[in-house]
Amino acid sequence: LHRVDRRQRQMCIRDRFYCNESELLNNTIFTSHKIINRGNETLDSLIFTKYLNFDIGCYADDYFGCIPDLNTVYAYNKDEVDGEMFYCMDPFDPPPFGTNIPVQAATILNREMTSFNYFFASVQNSITYPISPEIDYNFMQGKWGNGSSLTQGGDGYDTGGQPVKFAFPDNPNNPNGWSMFSEELLYDERKCLANIEIDGSFAPNDIVKIDMAYTTYQDPFLNHVE
């Protein structure tokens, strides 16, 4: 986005982002979320959590990670071929991509992402699934539902590693980094949570704005990780 000059941005906006001059913008959707305190009391804290369910073709073979320095989370496919699993063949599900699999990214443009974690859609318990306000709040702080810290390594739960705020922050192409790909995590349906803790109090009529960009990358000459 920063490499596109003002004239190109204006042309893209005029053409509703059908923009041949910038492939990145042509494959990007921008959203703006506005939070207004309509109450009569000042809140002492505010956390904005963006729930992300990427579902790249087959929903059960998605991996994801984050780039904290870029306030970005992304999803890619576990395998070189999308949708080869038997439970991804339901005719009511979106068709799999096969071999030309895209990568999807979501970037927070005007705020700092303070934590990134996930939960399992297939297992609903107080550790791995948001099922109550208290458990939801733990997830929004980058923890597991029972309040335990996300820990380095493995799937991030009770691994004996150091407590961390961001799950899978390393490049999947790095075999020594912490990613879902390097950990070879099993097939499952997982959902992502990108959290933004807003500093300071939130007074009546205060407004907090969150701008985001959702981008798709697809290159027929690269595999699911490259």
Side-chain angles (χ1 to χ4, degrees), residues 1-213:
L1 182 62
H2 294 291
R3 292 194 293 268
V4 180
D5 64 27
R6 178 179 296 180
R7 178 176 174 275
Q8 287 180 321
R9 289 201 299 270
Q10 290 174 339
M11 291 177 64
C12 292
I13 293 171
R14 182 194 65 198
D15 295 333
R16 300 179 184 224
F17 297 106
Y18 183 74
C19 184
N20 293 328
E21 286 150 10
S22 172
E23 184 177 359
L24 177 63
L25 284 177
N26 200 33
N27 290 290
T28 301
I29 295 173
F30 295 93
T31 64
S32 184
H33 308 265
K34 185 181 291 185
I35 306 169
I36 306 173
N37 184 356
R38 298 295 194 190
N40 297 319
E41 297 180 342
T42 296
L43 305 181
D44 61 11
S45 61
L46 174 66
I47 302 176
F48 175 93
T49 293
K50 188 66 183 76
Y51 160 81
L52 297 160
N53 180 19
F54 286 101
D55 282 354
I56 303 175
C58 174
Y59 63 85
D61 59 359
D62 292 346
Y63 276 171
F64 47 77
C66 68
I67 311 174
D69 290 344
L70 298 180
N71 299 310
T72 294
V73 301
Y74 58 90
Y76 57 103
N77 210 66
K78 179 183 188 300
D79 309 304
E80 291 195 34
V81 180
D82 177 43
E84 289 190 310
M85 306 177 60
F86 70 92
Y87 51 82
C88 290
M89 302 301 179
D90 192 313
F92 295 101
D93 289 335
F97 282 94
T99 56
N100 187 18
I101 311 169
V103 168
Q104 294 182 331
T107 298
I108 302 162
L109 298 174
N110 66 333
R111 297 279 178 176
E112 180 180 349
M113 182 171 61
T114 52
S115 61
F116 172 71
N117 54 341
Y118 71 98
F119 64 90
F120 290 89
S122 59
V123 181
Q124 298 189 13
N125 58 43
S126 62
I127 298 173
T128 60
Y129 195 86
I131 53 177
S132 73
E134 293 79 14
I135 292 173
D136 290 353
Y137 190 60
N138 286 330
F139 276 106
M140 294 173 72
Q141 297 176 87
K143 302 176 182 178
W144 290 102
N146 63 353
S148 62
S149 295
L150 186 72
T151 53
Q152 177 84 23
D155 63 1
Y157 180 71
D158 196 21
T159 62
Q162 64 178 355
V164 293
K165 284 290 189 178
F166 297 93
F168 314 117
D170 294 325
N171 191 323
N173 291 283
N174 177 7
N176 299 315
W178 183 32
S179 70
M180 296 183 76
F181 189 70
S182 65
E183 297 292 342
E184 299 182 347
L185 297 186
L186 299 176
Y187 294 94
D188 209 324
E189 185 177 10
R190 305 172 178 92
K191 319 290 187 179
C192 308
L193 301 170
N195 307 303
I196 305 170
E197 296 188 29
I198 309 299
D199 292 332
S201 60
F202 190 37
N205 298 314
D206 276 358
I207 299 174
V208 170
K209 186 178 178 184
I210 311 289
D211 295 328
M212 298 190 65

